[in-house]
């Protein structure tokens, strides 16, 4: 089995680590514009060989795991190069632009649009870890546009990685993910900015940062190269979620200014329900 990963970072690298565990006979090839990442990935055993586009004709699986703006350029070239039995999947955090770019490609049936809801704030091949996708959800869009046999091959692989499959149309994906992922990142980045701007002496932040601050600001360590194109591609939905979020922040501030502590208590008590919702999601995943 030949597996090619294009973009040997956190997601692509973690995927091939799991694939190698599931299919020890597989040969893992890596393609990355960053030569240091190729060398690092080989040294870490994330990939076995450096690949190139001329080899894709004999690939069983091709994983495209590059920033979402780059994916729009790379994906058509990958589909041009693959064989009839190759299945290509892309793992980007937006799905509408990706599904549009491949819509009329003659090899559309060799492609499956996915978004594994798993990750960390780290990037590059050193961030790749085994088991990252265990118990996580993989959102699949437009599955009916993928050839049935190839679909089954990809879905089997995702299930063997421990992922739960959820089907969604690309528009709903981009709308829902704007709330639970894209807004969370902006909120974390801007919380980090607010505190850093105020606390010019960074040692004070370091000394006083409790686990609450640290966990809330964790996503602010994420790569701007990855997140800028995500916000650009999902701008309409992200702006809408920001407007709702800003309205909630303004409301909270107004309650505080007017000393309405009963209302503040109520706001927080109502939001405590997030505990049950997230527990429910964890239980479903198990
Ligand atoms: P990453 O760790 O930064 O890996 C991306 C890799 O692609 C880097 O090595 C990058 O090199 C390389 N690259 C950039 N342009 C390329 C090109 N034209 N051809 C080949 N390689 C190229 O990023 P990641 O976190 O794995 O994210 C990859 C994809 O997964 C993104 O589409 C993202 O939206 C999606 N995703 C991410 C998460 C998450 O939590 N991180 C979760 C789910 C899905 P340079 O670093 O030198 O640019």
């Amino acid at each position: 089995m030949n597996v090619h990963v294009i973009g040997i970072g956190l997601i692509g690298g973690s995927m091939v680590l799991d694939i190698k565990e599931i299919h020890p006979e597989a040969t893992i090839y890596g393609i990355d514009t960053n030569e240091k990442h190729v060398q690092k990935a080989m040294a870490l055993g994330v990939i076995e060989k450096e690949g190139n586009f001329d080899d894709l004709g004999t690939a069983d699986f091709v994983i495209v795991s590059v920033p979402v703006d780059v994916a729009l350029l790379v994906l058509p070239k990958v589909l041009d190069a693959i064989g009839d039995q190759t299945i290509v999947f892309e793992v980007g955090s937006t799905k509408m632009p990706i599904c549009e770019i491949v819509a009329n490609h003659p090899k559309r049936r060799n492609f499956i649009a996915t978004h594994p809801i798993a990750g960390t704030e780290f990037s590059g091949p050193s961030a790749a870890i085994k088991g990252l996708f265990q118990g996580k959800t993989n959102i699949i869009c437009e599955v009916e546009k993928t050839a049935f046999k190839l679909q089954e091959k990809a879905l089997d692989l995702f299930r063997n990685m421990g992922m739960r499959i959820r089907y969604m149309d690309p528009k709903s994906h981009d709308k829902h993910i704007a709330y639970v992922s894209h807004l969370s990142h902006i909120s974390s980045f801007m919380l980090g900015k607010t505190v850093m701007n105020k606390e010019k002496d960074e040692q004070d932040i370091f000394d006083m940062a409790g686990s609450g601050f640290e966990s809330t600001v964790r996503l602010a360590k994420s790569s701007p190269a990855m997140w800028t194109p995500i916000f650009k591609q999902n701008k309409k939905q992200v702006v809408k979620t920001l407007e709702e979020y800003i309205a909630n922040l303004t409301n909270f501030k107004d309650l505080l200014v007017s000393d309405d502590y009963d209302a503040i208590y109520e706001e927080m008590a109502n939001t405590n329900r997030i505990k049950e919702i997230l527990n429910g999601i964890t239980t479903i995943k198990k």
Side-chain angles (χ1 to χ4, degrees):
M1 177 190 277
N2 291 328
V3 180
H4 294 249
V5 55
I6 303 178
I8 322 163
L10 165 70
I11 300 295
S14 300
M15 286 229 155
V16 290
L17 283 175
D18 281 358
I19 293 175
K20 188 69 187 172
E21 192 114 310
I22 299 163
H23 296 285
E25 79 290 359
T27 306
I28 312 290
Y29 296 85
I31 299 177
D32 201 297
T33 41
N34 186 331
E35 190 48 37
K36 280 188 190 150
H37 284 183
V38 175
Q39 296 312 323
K40 186 81 189 170
M42 273 205 279
L44 292 170
V46 174
I47 61 165
E48 289 158 291
K49 296 181 180 175
E50 181 164 8
N52 70 66
F53 276 69
D54 296 335
D55 302 330
L56 297 185
T58 56
D60 293 286
F61 289 99
V62 181
I63 304 161
V64 177
S65 182
V66 291
V68 292
D69 54 340
V70 178
L72 296 180
L73 307 172
V74 165
L75 209 43
K77 278 172 52 189
V78 170
L79 291 178
D80 289 343
I82 57 167
D84 289 342
Q85 301 309 315
T86 311
I87 175 85
V88 178
F89 56 93
E90 188 274 337
V91 297
S93 307
T94 53
K95 290 273 77 71
M96 260 177 53
I98 293 289
C99 288
E100 278 164 17
I101 205 88
V102 297
N104 297 315
H105 195 285
K107 290 263 174 65
R108 171 64 183 88
R109 293 184 68 71
N110 293 67
F111 173 72
I112 188 160
T114 76
H115 181 193
I117 310 295
T120 69
E121 63 276 30
F122 305 114
S123 51
S126 338
I129 43 174
K130 281 186 194 168
L132 179 67
F133 307 102
Q134 185 66 45
K136 301 288 166 42
T137 301
N138 197 7
I139 300 178
I140 311 279
C141 295
E142 298 186 332
V143 73
E144 69 289 351
K145 295 189 179 173
T146 309
F148 186 71
K149 275 195 170 161
L150 297 177
Q151 217 187 90
E152 282 300 298
K153 231 167 105 175
L155 295 176
D156 276 353
L157 187 71
F158 301 145
R159 289 192 190 106
N160 287 335
M161 285 180 190
M163 282 194 271
R164 170 179 163 256
I165 309 294
R166 176 91 205 263
Y167 299 101
M168 213 175 266
D169 66 85
K171 192 173 174 191
S172 304
H173 167 275
D174 288 6
K175 180 179 167 191
H176 298 319
I177 209 73
Y179 283 93
V180 289
S181 170
H182 304 176
L183 178 62
S184 319
H185 279 79
I186 297 172
S187 155
S188 185
F189 276 119
M190 290 305 104
L191 171 65
K193 177 184 171 176
T194 308
V195 175
M196 280 164 66
N197 281 354
K198 199 66 201 161
E199 298 283 339
K200 292 290 181 212
D201 181 352
E202 292 187 16
Q203 189 57 43
D204 283 349
I205 299 181
F206 187 72
D207 289 344
M208 295 173 70
S211 64
F213 177 74
E214 204 173 334
S215 62
T216 317
V217 90
R218 177 179 67 85
L219 297 175
K221 298 178 207 161
S222 302
S223 153
M226 193 181 99
W227 281 95
T228 307
I230 293 174
F231 297 143
K232 184 177 174 187
Q233 287 188 6
N234 206 21
K235 173 178 160 180
K236 202 171 147 203
Q237 296 299 339
V238 171
V239 167
K240 192 167 172 288
T241 63
L242 269 175
E243 282 166 358
E244 292 168 26
Y245 186 51
I246 291 165
N248 278 326
L249 287 176
T250 306
N251 177 54
F252 197 93
K253 187 191 81 182
D254 291 346
L255 294 176
L256 198 54
V257 169
S258 57
D259 290 320
D260 192 347
Y261 299 109
D262 289 342
I264 284 179
Y265 183 97
E266 274 306 298
E267 285 280 318
M268 292 189 288
N270 288 336
T271 311
N272 277 162
R273 209 168 58 81
I274 199 79
K275 218 171 356 185
E276 285 110 67
I277 294 171
L278 291 176
N279 275 344
I281 291 170
T282 317
T283 314
I284 291 166
K285 274 184 193 157
K286 279 179 186 162

